[in-house]
Amino acid sequence: MNIVINGKHEQVALSEPTLINLLAEYSLQGKSVIVEANGQIVPKDELASTNVKDGDRIEIVQFVGGG
Amino acid sequence: MHNRYSRQELFLKEKQPFANKHVLLVGAGALGSALAEMLVRAGIGRLTIIDRDYVDWTNLQRQQLYKEQDAQERLPKAEAAKKRLEEINSDVFISAVTADGGPEELSALMNAHLPDLLLDGTDNFETRFLINDLSQKYNVPWIYGACVGSQGISCVIVPGETPCLACLLDVLPAEGMTCDTAGIIAPAVQMTTAIQGAEALKILAGRWEEVSRELVSFDLWKNTYSSIKIASLKKASCPSCGKEASHPYLSEANRTRTAVLCGRDTVQVRPSEERAFNLSQLALTMEQHGTKVKTNGFLLSAIVSGKRIVLFQDGRMLIHGTKNTADAKKLYQQLLG
């Protein structure tokens, strides 16, 4: 499946095409992140039930603490 | 006559809009150094810097205000920063505070001289949530910024308008993504502060319509950049900015007494009440007991039980070579009671 993540074209293969699996693919599951799919923020409790499909534009922002 | 601001004024189409502005900068590490230099060069009226640490050799790779001599002398960062910044622009009134910025210390600074903007140069979420509550209580905007590895993130928080940090994050992240575990490259610092700095200039110039209302993040190694509109995340029930806000992080009870410092394999221990130490007297006593001690007027350093310790006048101690807060507390109590 071809999607755009944080502005970059990526090819990903997910066992089940959900946002939570996509986060796991990037080792971000359970981390402090905000996810936007096609311009809409996806609430945390809907990450497992929201599907990712070909051509989607996903933004993933991870909170970090250093400085 | 010098016109040091001519290029900036040409862009802004306004003469010295920052001259009467006051910024309170919390933290003078990598982010803090870069932000301070930008604002001082831009000609703000007043900059207050609070930082709890001193300059170490591992800082020099990215903390642009400091030099080898500062690390050799272990100067407190706030003092070393002030010295360098005054060389850059002597028109700016700079005050340096060497202290751990807790609720009491930061509230005192807000009360003494209310800033137009609070800037985040810290390395931990505990202090950021405190800044977030102060911003709401005093109705002063703040700009979150953080970086680790090759990543960075920033967001402008305007009380009464945008969501606050507690709206975006319901719990303090505890996933250990710090300079300690992932390291950091200087460009990630510069990119983060470029974003924070630009927003700071817009706010200080009163150009509110240009201020970003998005959460921005990037990764310079992976060549990614993203920006999310966050207005929909504002929570009416938020404990920091909601209708019945209680500002939970302003309570001293929520404050830990020990903290592991980012990237340093070091634990800081704070006394439960501020204690004023006579460092030269203490050095004398320790030397009489066979411990080699160095003091520079601001702090005392020595090797105790195989660990390098640094004691500040306000009673805070940094214990190097450990991440164990219980051991650190024990050593502190062994030394100072």
Side-chain angles (χ1 to χ4, degrees), chain A residues 5-8 30-32 34 36 41 44 59-67, chain B residues 30-31 123 125 128 144 146-148 151 153 170 173 175 222 225-226 228-229:
Chain A
I5 300 179
N6 295 348
K8 202 177 175 186
K31 301 266 173 81
S32 300
I34 292 181
E36 190 189 73
I41 292 175
K44 257 185 222 151
E59 303 284 332
I60 305 172
V61 171
Q62 184 188 8
F63 285 87
V64 293
Chain B
L31 294 174
D123 62 2
F125 277 108
R128 288 187 176 102
Y144 163 53
C147 50
V148 68
Q151 287 174 258
I153 182 166
D170 34 22
E175 44 214 48
K222 294 183 182 151
Y225 181 90
S226 90
I228 293 183
K229 287 194 176 68

PDB file of all heavy atoms in Angstrom, chain A residues 5-8 30-32 34 36 41 44 59-67, chain B residues 30-31 123 125 128 144 146-148 151 153 170 173 175 222 225-226 228-229:
ATOM      1  N   ILE A   5       3.389   9.628   4.507  1.00  0.00           N
ATOM      2  CA  ILE A   5       3.522   9.841   5.954  1.00  0.00           C
ATOM      3  C   ILE A   5       4.442  11.023   6.194  1.00  0.00           C
ATOM      4  O   ILE A   5       5.582  11.052   5.726  1.00  0.00           O
ATOM      5  CB  ILE A   5       4.097   8.584   6.646  1.00  0.00           C
ATOM      6  CG1 ILE A   5       3.162   7.392   6.416  1.00  0.00           C
ATOM      7  CG2 ILE A   5       4.267   8.827   8.146  1.00  0.00           C
ATOM      8  CD1 ILE A   5       3.647   6.107   7.038  1.00  0.00           C
ATOM      9  N   ASN A   6       3.945  12.011   6.927  1.00  0.00           N
ATOM     10  CA  ASN A   6       4.696  13.228   7.208  1.00  0.00           C
ATOM     11  C   ASN A   6       5.320  13.813   5.935  1.00  0.00           C
ATOM     12  O   ASN A   6       6.492  14.176   5.900  1.00  0.00           O
ATOM     13  CB  ASN A   6       5.760  12.976   8.277  1.00  0.00           C
ATOM     14  CG  ASN A   6       5.128  12.636   9.616  1.00  0.00           C
ATOM     15  OD1 ASN A   6       3.931  12.798   9.812  1.00  0.00           O
ATOM     16  ND2 ASN A   6       5.934  12.165  10.550  1.00  0.00           N
ATOM     17  N   GLY A   7       4.522  13.818   4.890  1.00  0.00           N
ATOM     18  CA  GLY A   7       4.945  14.445   3.642  1.00  0.00           C
ATOM     19  C   GLY A   7       5.813  13.577   2.749  1.00  0.00           C
ATOM     20  O   GLY A   7       6.223  14.004   1.663  1.00  0.00           O
ATOM     21  N   LYS A   8       6.093  12.351   3.174  1.00  0.00           N
ATOM     22  CA  LYS A   8       7.007  11.500   2.417  1.00  0.00           C
ATOM     23  C   LYS A   8       6.260  10.264   1.909  1.00  0.00           C
ATOM     24  O   LYS A   8       5.543   9.619   2.678  1.00  0.00           O
ATOM     25  CB  LYS A   8       8.143  11.077   3.356  1.00  0.00           C
ATOM     26  CG  LYS A   8       9.406  10.666   2.660  1.00  0.00           C
ATOM     27  CD  LYS A   8      10.458  10.336   3.708  1.00  0.00           C
ATOM     28  CE  LYS A   8      11.715   9.801   3.070  1.00  0.00           C
ATOM     29  NZ  LYS A   8      12.667   9.355   4.090  1.00  0.00           N
ATOM     30  N   GLY A  30       1.614   3.158  21.550  1.00  0.00           N
ATOM     31  CA  GLY A  30       1.665   3.436  22.983  1.00  0.00           C
ATOM     32  C   GLY A  30       2.498   4.661  23.347  1.00  0.00           C
ATOM     33  O   GLY A  30       2.558   5.066  24.503  1.00  0.00           O
ATOM     34  N   LYS A  31       3.132   5.276  22.347  1.00  0.00           N
ATOM     35  CA  LYS A  31       3.920   6.484  22.632  1.00  0.00           C
ATOM     36  C   LYS A  31       3.006   7.711  22.591  1.00  0.00           C
ATOM     37  O   LYS A  31       1.877   7.637  22.121  1.00  0.00           O
ATOM     38  CB  LYS A  31       5.029   6.636  21.569  1.00  0.00           C
ATOM     39  CG  LYS A  31       5.991   5.439  21.500  1.00  0.00           C
ATOM     40  CD  LYS A  31       7.205   5.686  22.349  1.00  0.00           C
ATOM     41  CE  LYS A  31       8.111   4.472  22.453  1.00  0.00           C
ATOM     42  NZ  LYS A  31       8.994   4.311  21.306  1.00  0.00           N
ATOM     43  N   SER A  32       3.533   8.846  23.076  1.00  0.00           N
ATOM     44  CA  SER A  32       2.739  10.080  23.062  1.00  0.00           C
ATOM     45  C   SER A  32       2.755  10.671  21.658  1.00  0.00           C
ATOM     46  O   SER A  32       3.712  11.360  21.285  1.00  0.00           O
ATOM     47  CB  SER A  32       3.328  11.084  24.041  1.00  0.00           C
ATOM     48  OG  SER A  32       3.303  10.535  25.328  1.00  0.00           O
ATOM     49  N   ILE A  34       0.222  12.346  18.252  1.00  0.00           N
ATOM     50  CA  ILE A  34      -1.054  12.799  17.706  1.00  0.00           C
ATOM     51  C   ILE A  34      -1.064  12.372  16.238  1.00  0.00           C
ATOM     52  O   ILE A  34      -0.065  12.575  15.524  1.00  0.00           O
ATOM     53  CB  ILE A  34      -1.225  14.324  17.856  1.00  0.00           C
ATOM     54  CG1 ILE A  34      -1.376  14.674  19.344  1.00  0.00           C
ATOM     55  CG2 ILE A  34      -2.458  14.806  17.083  1.00  0.00           C
ATOM     56  CD1 ILE A  34      -1.586  16.144  19.620  1.00  0.00           C
ATOM     57  N   GLU A  36      -2.987  12.347  12.480  1.00  0.00           N
ATOM     58  CA  GLU A  36      -3.968  12.979  11.611  1.00  0.00           C
ATOM     59  C   GLU A  36      -4.056  12.150  10.335  1.00  0.00           C
ATOM     60  O   GLU A  36      -3.025  11.774   9.777  1.00  0.00           O
ATOM     61  CB  GLU A  36      -3.505  14.407  11.287  1.00  0.00           C
ATOM     62  CG  GLU A  36      -4.534  15.262  10.592  1.00  0.00           C
ATOM     63  CD  GLU A  36      -3.934  16.577  10.114  1.00  0.00           C
ATOM     64  OE1 GLU A  36      -3.169  16.550   9.132  1.00  0.00           O
ATOM     65  OE2 GLU A  36      -4.212  17.616  10.715  1.00  0.00           O
ATOM     66  N   ILE A  41      -7.827  14.926  12.767  1.00  0.00           N
ATOM     67  CA  ILE A  41      -7.164  14.270  13.894  1.00  0.00           C
ATOM     68  C   ILE A  41      -7.976  13.039  14.301  1.00  0.00           C
ATOM     69  O   ILE A  41      -9.199  13.100  14.405  1.00  0.00           O
ATOM     70  CB  ILE A  41      -7.008  15.246  15.077  1.00  0.00           C
ATOM     71  CG1 ILE A  41      -5.999  16.340  14.700  1.00  0.00           C
ATOM     72  CG2 ILE A  41      -6.543  14.512  16.335  1.00  0.00           C
ATOM     73  CD1 ILE A  41      -5.840  17.438  15.713  1.00  0.00           C
ATOM     74  N   LYS A  44      -7.412   9.004  20.113  1.00  0.00           N
ATOM     75  CA  LYS A  44      -6.616   7.829  20.524  1.00  0.00           C
ATOM     76  C   LYS A  44      -7.416   6.534  20.510  1.00  0.00           C
ATOM     77  O   LYS A  44      -6.937   5.504  20.066  1.00  0.00           O
ATOM     78  CB  LYS A  44      -6.092   8.063  21.944  1.00  0.00           C
ATOM     79  CG  LYS A  44      -4.637   8.454  21.959  1.00  0.00           C
ATOM     80  CD  LYS A  44      -4.151   8.549  23.386  1.00  0.00           C
ATOM     81  CE  LYS A  44      -3.285   9.778  23.524  1.00  0.00           C
ATOM     82  NZ  LYS A  44      -3.274  10.369  24.821  1.00  0.00           N
ATOM     83  N   GLU A  59      -0.345  12.101   9.062  1.00  0.00           N
ATOM     84  CA  GLU A  59       0.665  12.888   9.790  1.00  0.00           C
ATOM     85  C   GLU A  59       0.778  12.285  11.182  1.00  0.00           C
ATOM     86  O   GLU A  59      -0.223  12.057  11.850  1.00  0.00           O
ATOM     87  CB  GLU A  59       0.233  14.354   9.929  1.00  0.00           C
ATOM     88  CG  GLU A  59      -0.072  15.083   8.627  1.00  0.00           C
ATOM     89  CD  GLU A  59       1.166  15.470   7.850  1.00  0.00           C
ATOM     90  OE1 GLU A  59       2.230  15.675   8.488  1.00  0.00           O
ATOM     91  OE2 GLU A  59       1.085  15.549   6.605  1.00  0.00           O
ATOM     92  N   ILE A  60       2.002  12.009  11.613  1.00  0.00           N
ATOM     93  CA  ILE A  60       2.217  11.477  12.955  1.00  0.00           C
ATOM     94  C   ILE A  60       3.191  12.409  13.679  1.00  0.00           C
ATOM     95  O   ILE A  60       4.303  12.629  13.201  1.00  0.00           O
ATOM     96  CB  ILE A  60       2.829  10.057  12.925  1.00  0.00           C
ATOM     97  CG1 ILE A  60       1.961   9.108  12.084  1.00  0.00           C
ATOM     98  CG2 ILE A  60       2.992   9.509  14.349  1.00  0.00           C
ATOM     99  CD1 ILE A  60       2.605   7.748  11.843  1.00  0.00           C
ATOM    100  N   VAL A  61       2.740  12.996  14.769  1.00  0.00           N
ATOM    101  CA  VAL A  61       3.615  13.874  15.537  1.00  0.00           C
ATOM    102  C   VAL A  61       3.901  13.218  16.877  1.00  0.00           C
ATOM    103  O   VAL A  61       2.980  12.875  17.619  1.00  0.00           O
ATOM    104  CB  VAL A  61       2.968  15.258  15.746  1.00  0.00           C
ATOM    105  CG1 VAL A  61       3.783  16.084  16.722  1.00  0.00           C
ATOM    106  CG2 VAL A  61       2.863  15.983  14.424  1.00  0.00           C
ATOM    107  N   GLN A  62       5.187  13.035  17.163  1.00  0.00           N
ATOM    108  CA  GLN A  62       5.558  12.427  18.440  1.00  0.00           C
ATOM    109  C   GLN A  62       6.087  13.497  19.390  1.00  0.00           C
ATOM    110  O   GLN A  62       6.939  14.305  19.010  1.00  0.00           O
ATOM    111  CB  GLN A  62       6.640  11.361  18.215  1.00  0.00           C
ATOM    112  CG  GLN A  62       6.980  10.644  19.506  1.00  0.00           C
ATOM    113  CD  GLN A  62       8.175   9.721  19.386  1.00  0.00           C
ATOM    114  OE1 GLN A  62       8.865   9.698  18.371  1.00  0.00           O
ATOM    115  NE2 GLN A  62       8.430   8.968  20.445  1.00  0.00           N
ATOM    116  N   PHE A  63       5.569  13.484  20.613  1.00  0.00           N
ATOM    117  CA  PHE A  63       6.063  14.427  21.618  1.00  0.00           C
ATOM    118  C   PHE A  63       7.395  13.951  22.154  1.00  0.00           C
ATOM    119  O   PHE A  63       7.533  12.786  22.533  1.00  0.00           O
ATOM    120  CB  PHE A  63       5.057  14.555  22.769  1.00  0.00           C
ATOM    121  CG  PHE A  63       3.869  15.370  22.397  1.00  0.00           C
ATOM    122  CD1 PHE A  63       2.770  14.776  21.795  1.00  0.00           C
ATOM    123  CD2 PHE A  63       3.856  16.738  22.597  1.00  0.00           C
ATOM    124  CE1 PHE A  63       1.672  15.524  21.429  1.00  0.00           C
ATOM    125  CE2 PHE A  63       2.763  17.501  22.230  1.00  0.00           C
ATOM    126  CZ  PHE A  63       1.669  16.889  21.642  1.00  0.00           C
ATOM    127  N   VAL A  64       8.379  14.828  22.164  1.00  0.00           N
ATOM    128  CA  VAL A  64       9.678  14.488  22.739  1.00  0.00           C
ATOM    129  C   VAL A  64       9.991  15.492  23.837  1.00  0.00           C
ATOM    130  O   VAL A  64       9.383  16.559  23.913  1.00  0.00           O
ATOM    131  CB  VAL A  64      10.795  14.448  21.669  1.00  0.00           C
ATOM    132  CG1 VAL A  64      10.562  13.306  20.703  1.00  0.00           C
ATOM    133  CG2 VAL A  64      10.909  15.767  20.936  1.00  0.00           C
ATOM    134  N   GLY A  65      10.948  15.115  24.693  1.00  0.00           N
ATOM    135  CA  GLY A  65      11.160  15.939  25.874  1.00  0.00           C
ATOM    136  C   GLY A  65      12.496  16.657  25.953  1.00  0.00           C
ATOM    137  O   GLY A  65      12.677  17.504  26.805  1.00  0.00           O
ATOM    138  N   GLY A  66      13.439  16.317  25.098  1.00  0.00           N
ATOM    139  CA  GLY A  66      14.787  16.866  25.256  1.00  0.00           C
ATOM    140  C   GLY A  66      14.872  18.338  24.910  1.00  0.00           C
ATOM    141  O   GLY A  66      13.902  18.953  24.479  1.00  0.00           O
ATOM    142  N   GLY A  67      16.046  18.895  25.159  1.00  0.00           N
ATOM    143  CA  GLY A  67      16.192  20.300  24.804  1.00  0.00           C
ATOM    144  C   GLY A  67      17.475  20.886  25.324  1.00  0.00           C
ATOM    145  O   GLY A  67      17.733  22.044  25.171  1.00  0.00           O
TER     146      GLY A  67
ATOM    147  N   ALA B  30      20.590  23.733  25.190  1.00  0.00           N
ATOM    148  CA  ALA B  30      20.735  23.870  23.747  1.00  0.00           C
ATOM    149  C   ALA B  30      19.665  24.802  23.180  1.00  0.00           C
ATOM    150  O   ALA B  30      19.978  25.795  22.514  1.00  0.00           O
ATOM    151  CB  ALA B  30      20.657  22.495  23.095  1.00  0.00           C
ATOM    152  N   LEU B  31      18.392  24.504  23.464  1.00  0.00           N
ATOM    153  CA  LEU B  31      17.308  25.357  22.964  1.00  0.00           C
ATOM    154  C   LEU B  31      17.439  26.764  23.534  1.00  0.00           C
ATOM    155  O   LEU B  31      17.325  27.756  22.807  1.00  0.00           O
ATOM    156  CB  LEU B  31      15.939  24.792  23.377  1.00  0.00           C
ATOM    157  CG  LEU B  31      15.495  23.451  22.795  1.00  0.00           C
ATOM    158  CD1 LEU B  31      14.187  23.004  23.427  1.00  0.00           C
ATOM    159  CD2 LEU B  31      15.341  23.536  21.281  1.00  0.00           C
ATOM    160  N   ASP B 123      14.366  20.728  29.404  1.00  0.00           N
ATOM    161  CA  ASP B 123      14.631  19.390  28.880  1.00  0.00           C
ATOM    162  C   ASP B 123      13.708  18.342  29.508  1.00  0.00           C
ATOM    163  O   ASP B 123      14.001  17.167  29.496  1.00  0.00           O
ATOM    164  CB  ASP B 123      16.100  19.005  29.110  1.00  0.00           C
ATOM    165  CG  ASP B 123      16.458  18.951  30.582  1.00  0.00           C
ATOM    166  OD1 ASP B 123      15.576  19.162  31.431  1.00  0.00           O
ATOM    167  OD2 ASP B 123      17.635  18.680  30.888  1.00  0.00           O
ATOM    168  N   PHE B 125       9.361  17.283  30.800  1.00  0.00           N
ATOM    169  CA  PHE B 125       7.933  17.589  30.731  1.00  0.00           C
ATOM    170  C   PHE B 125       7.391  18.182  32.024  1.00  0.00           C
ATOM    171  O   PHE B 125       6.426  18.928  32.009  1.00  0.00           O
ATOM    172  CB  PHE B 125       7.131  16.345  30.327  1.00  0.00           C
ATOM    173  CG  PHE B 125       7.109  16.137  28.849  1.00  0.00           C
ATOM    174  CD1 PHE B 125       7.837  15.112  28.262  1.00  0.00           C
ATOM    175  CD2 PHE B 125       6.383  16.982  28.030  1.00  0.00           C
ATOM    176  CE1 PHE B 125       7.836  14.938  26.884  1.00  0.00           C
ATOM    177  CE2 PHE B 125       6.369  16.817  26.655  1.00  0.00           C
ATOM    178  CZ  PHE B 125       7.100  15.791  26.078  1.00  0.00           C
ATOM    179  N   ARG B 128       7.732  21.752  31.730  1.00  0.00           N
ATOM    180  CA  ARG B 128       6.862  22.260  30.650  1.00  0.00           C
ATOM    181  C   ARG B 128       5.404  22.354  31.111  1.00  0.00           C
ATOM    182  O   ARG B 128       4.702  23.302  30.775  1.00  0.00           O
ATOM    183  CB  ARG B 128       6.966  21.375  29.412  1.00  0.00           C
ATOM    184  CG  ARG B 128       8.293  21.544  28.703  1.00  0.00           C
ATOM    185  CD  ARG B 128       8.336  20.807  27.389  1.00  0.00           C
ATOM    186  NE  ARG B 128       9.587  21.087  26.700  1.00  0.00           N
ATOM    187  CZ  ARG B 128      10.625  20.261  26.651  1.00  0.00           C
ATOM    188  NH1 ARG B 128      10.549  19.086  27.226  1.00  0.00           N
ATOM    189  NH2 ARG B 128      11.724  20.606  26.026  1.00  0.00           N
ATOM    190  N   TYR B 144       6.123  26.005  23.232  1.00  0.00           N
ATOM    191  CA  TYR B 144       6.712  24.701  23.514  1.00  0.00           C
ATOM    192  C   TYR B 144       7.731  24.366  22.428  1.00  0.00           C
ATOM    193  O   TYR B 144       7.486  24.586  21.241  1.00  0.00           O
ATOM    194  CB  TYR B 144       5.585  23.650  23.528  1.00  0.00           C
ATOM    195  CG  TYR B 144       5.996  22.195  23.407  1.00  0.00           C
ATOM    196  CD1 TYR B 144       6.942  21.623  24.249  1.00  0.00           C
ATOM    197  CD2 TYR B 144       5.403  21.370  22.446  1.00  0.00           C
ATOM    198  CE1 TYR B 144       7.287  20.276  24.142  1.00  0.00           C
ATOM    199  CE2 TYR B 144       5.738  20.020  22.333  1.00  0.00           C
ATOM    200  CZ  TYR B 144       6.687  19.477  23.181  1.00  0.00           C
ATOM    201  OH  TYR B 144       7.023  18.153  23.068  1.00  0.00           O
ATOM    202  N   ALA B 146      10.926  21.206  21.741  1.00  0.00           N
ATOM    203  CA  ALA B 146      11.710  20.103  22.280  1.00  0.00           C
ATOM    204  C   ALA B 146      12.413  19.409  21.129  1.00  0.00           C
ATOM    205  O   ALA B 146      11.953  19.463  19.983  1.00  0.00           O
ATOM    206  CB  ALA B 146      10.815  19.114  23.018  1.00  0.00           C
ATOM    207  N   CYS B 147      13.534  18.757  21.439  1.00  0.00           N
ATOM    208  CA  CYS B 147      14.235  18.046  20.386  1.00  0.00           C
ATOM    209  C   CYS B 147      15.015  16.886  20.984  1.00  0.00           C
ATOM    210  O   CYS B 147      15.402  16.909  22.157  1.00  0.00           O
ATOM    211  CB  CYS B 147      15.165  18.991  19.634  1.00  0.00           C
ATOM    212  SG  CYS B 147      16.242  19.958  20.688  1.00  0.00           S
ATOM    213  N   VAL B 148      15.223  15.862  20.166  1.00  0.00           N
ATOM    214  CA  VAL B 148      16.001  14.704  20.569  1.00  0.00           C
ATOM    215  C   VAL B 148      16.448  14.017  19.281  1.00  0.00           C
ATOM    216  O   VAL B 148      15.716  14.059  18.283  1.00  0.00           O
ATOM    217  CB  VAL B 148      15.173  13.772  21.490  1.00  0.00           C
ATOM    218  CG1 VAL B 148      14.034  13.105  20.749  1.00  0.00           C
ATOM    219  CG2 VAL B 148      16.026  12.727  22.173  1.00  0.00           C
ATOM    220  N   GLN B 151      15.136  14.793  15.665  1.00  0.00           N
ATOM    221  CA  GLN B 151      13.739  15.228  15.653  1.00  0.00           C
ATOM    222  C   GLN B 151      13.532  16.506  16.447  1.00  0.00           C
ATOM    223  O   GLN B 151      14.285  16.778  17.389  1.00  0.00           O
ATOM    224  CB  GLN B 151      12.866  14.193  16.375  1.00  0.00           C
ATOM    225  CG  GLN B 151      12.605  12.906  15.683  1.00  0.00           C
ATOM    226  CD  GLN B 151      11.847  11.979  16.637  1.00  0.00           C
ATOM    227  OE1 GLN B 151      12.440  11.079  17.215  1.00  0.00           O
ATOM    228  NE2 GLN B 151      10.559  12.210  16.809  1.00  0.00           N
ATOM    229  N   ILE B 153      10.081  19.377  17.754  1.00  0.00           N
ATOM    230  CA  ILE B 153       8.644  19.647  17.799  1.00  0.00           C
ATOM    231  C   ILE B 153       8.441  21.035  18.398  1.00  0.00           C
ATOM    232  O   ILE B 153       9.235  21.471  19.245  1.00  0.00           O
ATOM    233  CB  ILE B 153       7.925  18.551  18.631  1.00  0.00           C
ATOM    234  CG1 ILE B 153       6.414  18.752  18.668  1.00  0.00           C
ATOM    235  CG2 ILE B 153       8.475  18.438  20.040  1.00  0.00           C
ATOM    236  CD1 ILE B 153       5.654  17.536  19.182  1.00  0.00           C
ATOM    237  N   ASP B 170      -2.674  14.127  27.776  1.00  0.00           N
ATOM    238  CA  ASP B 170      -3.380  13.976  29.058  1.00  0.00           C
ATOM    239  C   ASP B 170      -2.489  13.453  30.181  1.00  0.00           C
ATOM    240  O   ASP B 170      -2.818  13.597  31.346  1.00  0.00           O
ATOM    241  CB  ASP B 170      -4.651  13.138  28.904  1.00  0.00           C
ATOM    242  CG  ASP B 170      -4.500  12.041  27.865  1.00  0.00           C
ATOM    243  OD1 ASP B 170      -3.342  11.682  27.591  1.00  0.00           O
ATOM    244  OD2 ASP B 170      -5.513  11.566  27.335  1.00  0.00           O
ATOM    245  N   PRO B 173       4.401  12.343  29.333  1.00  0.00           N
ATOM    246  CA  PRO B 173       5.025  11.234  28.619  1.00  0.00           C
ATOM    247  C   PRO B 173       6.183  10.666  29.444  1.00  0.00           C
ATOM    248  O   PRO B 173       6.927  11.408  30.058  1.00  0.00           O
ATOM    249  CB  PRO B 173       5.566  11.874  27.351  1.00  0.00           C
ATOM    250  CG  PRO B 173       4.792  13.128  27.188  1.00  0.00           C
ATOM    251  CD  PRO B 173       4.481  13.581  28.580  1.00  0.00           C
ATOM    252  N   GLU B 175       8.429   8.013  28.230  1.00  0.00           N
ATOM    253  CA  GLU B 175       8.971   6.986  27.353  1.00  0.00           C
ATOM    254  C   GLU B 175      10.474   7.115  27.147  1.00  0.00           C
ATOM    255  O   GLU B 175      11.059   6.443  26.308  1.00  0.00           O
ATOM    256  CB  GLU B 175       8.223   6.962  26.027  1.00  0.00           C
ATOM    257  CG  GLU B 175       7.971   8.334  25.465  1.00  0.00           C
ATOM    258  CD  GLU B 175       6.647   8.417  24.722  1.00  0.00           C
ATOM    259  OE1 GLU B 175       5.644   7.959  25.274  1.00  0.00           O
ATOM    260  OE2 GLU B 175       6.642   8.929  23.604  1.00  0.00           O
ATOM    261  N   LYS B 222      15.478  11.788   8.635  1.00  0.00           N
ATOM    262  CA  LYS B 222      14.549  11.050   7.758  1.00  0.00           C
ATOM    263  C   LYS B 222      13.902  11.962   6.727  1.00  0.00           C
ATOM    264  O   LYS B 222      13.087  11.505   5.926  1.00  0.00           O
ATOM    265  CB  LYS B 222      13.454  10.400   8.607  1.00  0.00           C
ATOM    266  CG  LYS B 222      13.991   9.305   9.520  1.00  0.00           C
ATOM    267  CD  LYS B 222      12.858   8.645  10.271  1.00  0.00           C
ATOM    268  CE  LYS B 222      13.395   7.584  11.214  1.00  0.00           C
ATOM    269  NZ  LYS B 222      12.502   7.428  12.379  1.00  0.00           N
ATOM    270  N   TYR B 225       8.597  16.234   7.572  1.00  0.00           N
ATOM    271  CA  TYR B 225       8.110  17.455   8.207  1.00  0.00           C
ATOM    272  C   TYR B 225       6.609  17.321   8.305  1.00  0.00           C
ATOM    273  O   TYR B 225       5.971  16.887   7.348  1.00  0.00           O
ATOM    274  CB  TYR B 225       8.469  18.663   7.346  1.00  0.00           C
ATOM    275  CG  TYR B 225       8.032  19.983   7.918  1.00  0.00           C
ATOM    276  CD1 TYR B 225       8.869  20.704   8.766  1.00  0.00           C
ATOM    277  CD2 TYR B 225       6.782  20.511   7.607  1.00  0.00           C
ATOM    278  CE1 TYR B 225       8.469  21.916   9.298  1.00  0.00           C
ATOM    279  CE2 TYR B 225       6.373  21.721   8.136  1.00  0.00           C
ATOM    280  CZ  TYR B 225       7.229  22.421   8.980  1.00  0.00           C
ATOM    281  OH  TYR B 225       6.823  23.613   9.497  1.00  0.00           O
ATOM    282  N   SER B 226       6.035  17.632   9.441  1.00  0.00           N
ATOM    283  CA  SER B 226       4.582  17.566   9.494  1.00  0.00           C
ATOM    284  C   SER B 226       4.000  18.653  10.375  1.00  0.00           C
ATOM    285  O   SER B 226       4.679  19.194  11.256  1.00  0.00           O
ATOM    286  CB  SER B 226       4.133  16.173   9.932  1.00  0.00           C
ATOM    287  OG  SER B 226       4.018  16.125  11.305  1.00  0.00           O
ATOM    288  N   ILE B 228       0.148  19.835  12.131  1.00  0.00           N
ATOM    289  CA  ILE B 228      -1.234  19.433  12.396  1.00  0.00           C
ATOM    290  C   ILE B 228      -2.009  20.593  13.022  1.00  0.00           C
ATOM    291  O   ILE B 228      -1.539  21.213  13.979  1.00  0.00           O
ATOM    292  CB  ILE B 228      -1.263  18.212  13.362  1.00  0.00           C
ATOM    293  CG1 ILE B 228      -0.681  16.968  12.672  1.00  0.00           C
ATOM    294  CG2 ILE B 228      -2.673  17.931  13.856  1.00  0.00           C
ATOM    295  CD1 ILE B 228      -0.730  15.718  13.526  1.00  0.00           C
ATOM    296  N   LYS B 229      -3.192  20.881  12.484  1.00  0.00           N
ATOM    297  CA  LYS B 229      -4.057  21.910  13.081  1.00  0.00           C
ATOM    298  C   LYS B 229      -4.664  21.330  14.355  1.00  0.00           C
ATOM    299  O   LYS B 229      -5.303  20.282  14.312  1.00  0.00           O
ATOM    300  CB  LYS B 229      -5.185  22.278  12.114  1.00  0.00           C
ATOM    301  CG  LYS B 229      -4.732  23.101  10.939  1.00  0.00           C
ATOM    302  CD  LYS B 229      -5.947  23.702  10.224  1.00  0.00           C
ATOM    303  CE  LYS B 229      -5.520  24.608   9.089  1.00  0.00           C
ATOM    304  NZ  LYS B 229      -4.891  23.865   7.969  1.00  0.00           N
TER     305      LYS B 229
END
